[in-house]
Amino acid sequence: MKWKTISRLLFLLVLFYALTMIFPLGLAFYNSETEMIRSFCITIAITAAVSFMALLTTRKAKISFSAREGFMLVFLAWVMACLVGALPYYISRCIPHFTDAVFESVSGFSTTGSSIINDLSNMPRSLIFWRAETHWLGGMGMVVLTVALLPFLGVGGFQLLKAEAPGPDKERITAKITETAKILWLIYIGLTAIETALLCIAGMDLFDAIIHAFSTMATGGFSSRNEGLAYWNSPAIIWIVTIFMIIAGFNFTLLFRLLQRKWKDVWYSSEGRAYIGIILISTAIAAMSLHLSGETMANAKLAEIEAGIAYEKPLTSIGGSIRTALFYTTSVLTTTGFSAGGQAILTPIARGVLFFLMFVGGCSGSTAGGIKVIRHVVLFKQCRNELKKILYPRGVFSIRLNNKVGRKDVVYGVAGFIFLYFALLAACALVIASSGLSHTNSLSIALLSLGNIGLDPALLNQTAIVGGLPDYAKWTLSFIMIAGRLELWTAFVFFSKEYWR
């Protein structure tokens, strides 16, 4: 193991983490938030000093590494990012317990969106900005950004990308990995800027628009308001956020193909077609359920009788039902976890649709978490082949992805991932249940963390509050969130004896 090389690259990353705090620091100066100025300055000073010392001691290290070092670097990079990101919360005493500060930071960088903060109105605006910025940086991936900014990583840079998101359907946009990373980040930045502008036009101020654009494009879900998007009560804002959630959950490589007008590449994408199909079908089921329920409640006039439940009048119309259904199905499918404050209007069927979407996730090559659509496509095609083999025992069948014959090892890889995913889900649920929570709440929290969903608990009638969990449960969830963000293999390869030989 080339520890000097790993240390040098790792502390280059740590130095970058410190530089990203300049933006919230500037906001703290603008808003005269004295305590946050001190917190960000201390954090920047500590990380910069440690990084410079480490870089001096490893200045002669040769920058080259294999997949083995790449896995180690990626995992340690995410751990260090979360630890450094926790310091402003802890030093400012806005989150007085270090475990809680780390949990909030991990939730941000992993784009999970779970939070132990109950009241955002008392939080400094600069810290809310940093909270959303961790989403945005973690969305496309700190390692991808580093590959884009440090060309000398070009030799082994693809190992970093493979380690960060080891999905079954990965390809380069260009021959050079640094150019690929730069193109991905340009698309990411451009979409964020466009959404920010549209949200401002729709009625948000610039600060709120940036926060929600960061969270949307990162499929994270952090908001600047306690009420979330319900604070603005604007159908236009809901439509804008919904559209950009769909884009953020789509494969960014395919987005680049669209910009190149390579329509065939997008049309023949097995994952892309499945992703759109899942959105359309789940939205249709949920919208019909909401519409019929809204008409029933309107006819019976139960909305006035049951004053504790706020049924929205627009649900008696097809348009209102479709808007609400599309927003929530997209929010869950892309693992964003946004809420529009209309949980009470969701019917049991709509809640059931959302529950099953939690096991799907977005596309590979997107900022979304979860199992990913491509893995479900592979398993579905393999299941169909197994049924054919029962009828034709001597037949030879193979799966087809993107209109091409898929490799057999892809099926094995997906099967192994699915097993590990559910085994880890069960283990995490047991750890959380040991704190005294019911098995239902424990399983919900484990699923929301592993899938990086961070869904509003009210959508599942979940009464448990993550902030009330014991420290060991929060550290477990923090590891689970990082593992889910790295698609498990990068976090669990270290438990293999073969890795250390």
Side-chain angles (χ1 to χ4, degrees):
M1 187 71 71
K2 302 174 183 177
W3 288 110
K4 286 189 176 181
T5 299
I6 292 175
S7 298
R8 183 169 180 79
L9 297 177
L10 182 62
F11 281 101
L12 279 172
L13 285 168
V14 171
L15 184 60
F16 172 76
Y17 304 154
L19 294 177
T20 59
M21 293 185 188
I22 292 176
F23 300 104
L25 176 60
L27 188 60
F29 273 110
Y30 179 78
N31 293 319
S32 300
E33 297 169 349
T34 307
E35 189 59 35
M36 291 311 306
I37 293 173
R38 184 180 73 88
S39 300
F40 283 118
C41 285
I42 291 175
T43 303
I44 292 173
I46 292 174
T47 53
V50 173
S51 298
F52 279 124
M53 290 178 61
L55 292 175
L56 285 175
T57 57
T58 59
R59 63 185 181 276
K60 294 183 180 180
K62 185 180 180 181
I63 306 299
S64 64
F65 51 88
S66 63
R68 189 163 172 257
E69 284 85 17
F71 281 117
M72 179 64 74
L73 176 59
V74 168
F75 182 74
L76 291 179
W78 279 89
V79 171
M80 290 297 293
C82 296
L83 292 177
V84 172
L87 293 180
Y89 297 107
Y90 182 68
I91 296 174
S92 65
R93 311 307 290 174
C94 289
I95 300 180
H97 301 292
F98 184 69
T99 298
D100 290 344
V102 171
F103 179 89
E104 194 76 17
S105 179
V106 171
S107 181
F109 278 109
S110 65
T111 70
T112 302
S114 297
S115 179
I116 53 91
I117 300 174
N118 295 320
D119 187 8
L120 290 172
S121 61
N122 295 325
M123 297 288 290
R125 288 170 70 86
S126 59
L127 193 59
I128 292 177
F129 184 90
W130 170 243
R131 185 169 172 259
E133 188 182 348
T134 59
H135 258 355
W136 193 75
L137 292 171
M140 186 57 69
M142 297 290 265
V143 176
V144 178
L145 179 61
T146 305
V147 171
L149 295 181
L150 303 178
F152 58 80
L153 285 180
V155 176
F158 194 59
Q159 302 297 343
L160 294 185
L161 289 182
K162 288 170 63 179
E164 187 189 13
D169 183 27
K170 189 181 309 302
E171 60 176 315
R172 306 186 191 197
I173 294 175
T174 63
K176 294 183 178 180
I177 190 61
T178 52
E179 293 300 319
T180 297
K182 288 176 182 178
I183 289 172
L184 291 177
W185 267 100
L186 286 174
I187 295 174
Y188 192 55
I189 293 170
L191 289 172
T192 304
I194 293 171
E195 185 185 2
T196 300
L198 292 176
L199 289 175
C200 287
I201 294 173
M204 284 189 181
D205 61 33
L206 181 60
F207 177 79
D208 290 320
I210 293 174
I211 297 299
H212 287 86
F214 279 0
S215 295
T216 303
M217 291 311 304
T219 62
F222 278 157
S223 178
S224 56
R225 305 286 180 174
N226 292 328
E227 303 87 347
L229 294 173
Y231 175 85
W232 289 273
N233 191 27
S234 170
I237 289 177
I238 295 298
W239 277 115
I240 292 170
V241 170
T242 301
I243 291 171
F244 278 89
M245 281 194 295
I246 294 174
I247 294 173
F250 202 61
N251 190 310
F252 273 69
T253 301
L254 294 180
L255 290 178
F256 182 68
R257 300 288 187 234
L258 284 174
L259 294 176
Q260 292 179 311
R261 298 184 179 181
K262 295 182 178 179
W263 313 114
K264 288 186 178 180
D265 290 352
V266 180
W267 174 253
Y268 286 122
S269 170
S270 303
E271 184 180 34
R273 287 187 292 182
Y275 176 70
I276 299 300
I278 291 171
I279 292 177
L280 294 177
I281 294 172
S282 58
T283 298
I285 296 173
M288 185 60 66
S289 172
L290 293 174
H291 178 62
L292 294 177
S293 175
E295 283 189 338
T296 301
M297 298 304 295
N299 294 334
K301 296 184 179 181
L302 291 179
E304 292 82 6
I305 297 174
E306 298 180 7
I309 303 179
Y311 288 91
E312 294 180 353
K313 187 176 180 180
L315 288 185
T316 58
S317 67
I318 289 291
S321 300
I322 293 176
R323 183 183 71 245
T324 302
L326 181 60
F327 172 80
Y328 278 109
T329 54
T330 303
S331 179
V332 176
L333 178 64
T334 62
T335 70
T336 306
F338 268 139
S339 170
Q343 296 92 335
I345 64 177
L346 295 180
T347 62
I349 293 179
R351 291 177 185 272
V353 170
L354 298 185
F355 177 75
F356 286 112
L357 289 178
M358 291 170 63
F359 293 93
V360 180
C363 294
S364 62
S366 71
T367 60
I371 294 176
K372 297 292 193 301
V373 173
I374 185 62
R375 292 191 174 94
H376 289 279
V377 171
V378 170
L379 289 182
F380 173 78
K381 288 179 178 290
Q382 182 61 25
C383 179
R384 189 172 59 184
N385 285 344
E386 293 299 328
L387 291 175
K388 291 179 180 179
K389 200 166 185 62
I390 292 176
L391 298 174
Y392 306 100
R394 296 177 181 273
V396 177
F397 306 99
S398 58
I399 63 172
R400 295 184 68 86
L401 296 174
N402 304 335
N403 208 31
K404 300 176 182 177
V405 177
R407 305 188 315 272
K408 196 71 175 179
D409 61 331
V410 171
V411 179
Y412 299 148
V414 170
F417 177 90
I418 296 295
F419 174 80
L420 181 59
Y421 190 91
F422 283 100
L424 189 59
L425 177 64
C428 181
L430 288 175
V431 172
I432 299 172
S434 68
S435 66
L437 292 183
S438 68
H439 64 280
T440 304
N441 285 331
S442 299
L443 182 60
S444 297
I445 293 174
L447 181 57
L448 297 176
S449 300
L450 183 59
N452 302 130
I453 303 170
L455 190 64
D456 190 339
L459 289 172
L460 297 176
N461 292 325
Q462 179 182 314
T463 57
I465 299 175
V466 176
L469 293 174
D471 286 353
Y472 73 85
K474 293 175 184 174
W475 284 107
T476 300
L477 290 176
S478 296
F479 173 76
I480 289 298
M481 286 188 286
I482 294 177
R485 178 63 181 84
L486 297 178
E487 300 199 15
L488 305 189
W489 297 124
T490 303
F492 281 88
V493 69
F494 307 111
F495 295 94
S496 169
K497 291 186 297 184
E498 287 74 16
Y499 177 84
W500 298 102
R501 287 175 180 172

